[in-house]
Amino acid sequence: MNYLNNLEFEPFILSFKLALVTTIILFIIALPLAWYLSQTKSKAKPFIEAITALPIVLPPSVLGFYILYVLSLNSPIGSFFDEYFGIKLVFNFTGLVVASCFYSLPFMVQPMQSGFESLNKNMLEASYISGKSKFTTLLKVALPNIKPALLTAIIITFAHTVGEFGVVLMVGGSIPEETKVASVAIYEYVEILDYANAHIYSAIMLIMSFVVLFAVYVFNAKQKKTFI
């Protein structure tokens, strides 16, 4: 109980804040991208899909290193934002958001793309024939019919961002109340051999992850029964 009373909740709050902001941004980015990939027959589709899925197979340290290099003040992008907007893109919360968007992109795009690809093509064609634009068809026909895929994309992206470690550590470091998220806090507790707090933090993350995945599977199972 003493450990629980002394538990710092700031890393968890920061993790949830990062996950929420990242999920919102990725939803806006991934929606048109997933729709395009599901509908296009362009020869560039495999290339775009490979780029989008790269964070899944790329080691977080490699991805974090390149993001750190591109966003640092020594790079054209980092120096541009610092000079003209006064925004530093590394070792702060802004840098964490940028890095998380890159790292979690496939977890938002792929479920949405699969959902769009599973839609009845006749339903989409009927919308086009009735004079509806592609944008209207996306919002009023496609999205309402991929609710399970949409929920899966949002929740998995949120949960994946909460659990990030390698990328956020390299780009953000461990600055209290700024970049020290829950996964980094666990790492630091292990480093100083404080296994009691490491167990508590890890247990909270484990329970949260299980609850999130369980909720997704229960929702998807109910949706399947509805359509049967």
Side-chain angles (χ1 to χ4, degrees):
M1 289 301 296
N2 291 331
Y3 285 110
L4 291 176
N5 292 332
N6 297 326
L7 187 67
E8 295 181 3
F9 289 97
E10 185 62 38
F12 290 103
I13 295 173
L14 193 60
S15 292
F16 295 144
K17 178 183 174 182
L18 174 63
L20 179 61
V21 173
T22 300
T23 301
I24 293 173
I25 293 174
L26 283 182
F27 179 81
I28 297 172
I29 295 173
L31 181 59
L33 178 59
W35 175 250
Y36 170 77
L37 291 174
S38 69
Q39 302 300 306
T40 186
K41 296 181 180 179
S42 171
K43 293 182 179 179
K45 179 181 177 180
F47 176 79
I48 299 174
E49 288 179 320
I51 292 294
T52 303
L54 199 57
I56 296 177
V57 298
L58 201 62
S61 56
V62 174
L63 183 62
F65 169 74
Y66 280 115
I67 293 176
L68 178 63
Y69 177 79
V70 170
L71 300 183
S72 68
L73 295 178
N74 295 324
S75 74
I77 296 176
S79 60
F80 172 80
F81 275 91
D82 181 51
E83 182 177 351
Y84 291 97
F85 301 102
I87 300 175
K88 290 182 172 59
L89 299 177
V90 293
F91 301 113
N92 54 31
F93 186 76
T94 302
L96 291 188
V97 172
V98 175
S100 296
C101 285
F102 278 105
Y103 192 46
S104 296
L105 179 62
F107 295 91
M108 181 67 79
V109 172
Q110 291 186 354
M112 293 174 65
Q113 181 183 345
S114 298
F116 287 138
E117 290 176 345
S118 66
L119 289 173
N120 189 322
K121 301 299 180 183
N122 294 329
M123 180 174 58
L124 299 179
E125 291 297 331
S127 177
Y128 294 142
I129 292 173
S130 64
K132 300 293 189 297
S133 66
K134 289 185 177 181
F135 181 74
T136 302
T137 300
L138 169 62
L139 292 183
K140 296 187 176 181
V141 178
L143 281 179
N145 286 282
I146 64 161
K147 288 180 181 179
L150 203 59
L151 182 69
T152 299
I154 292 173
I155 293 182
I156 294 300
T157 300
F158 184 91
H160 180 259
T161 305
V162 170
E164 287 178 7
F165 171 68
V167 172
V168 296
L169 180 61
M170 293 196 70
V171 177
S174 178
I175 304 173
E177 300 183 4
E178 181 71 22
T179 64
K180 186 179 178 180
V181 295
S183 57
V184 174
I186 294 171
Y187 172 75
E188 291 186 345
Y189 280 131
V190 173
E191 270 199 322
I192 63 175
L193 305 181
D194 187 351
Y195 295 123
N197 276 316
H199 274 302
I200 295 173
Y201 272 63
S202 298
I204 293 174
M205 297 288 284
L206 176 63
I207 294 170
M208 186 207 70
S209 299
F210 175 80
V211 170
V212 166
L213 290 175
F214 181 75
V216 170
Y217 285 122
V218 169
F219 178 82
N220 286 342
K222 289 183 178 180
Q223 289 295 312
K224 288 180 181 179
K225 290 181 180 180
T226 302
F227 289 107
I228 294 177

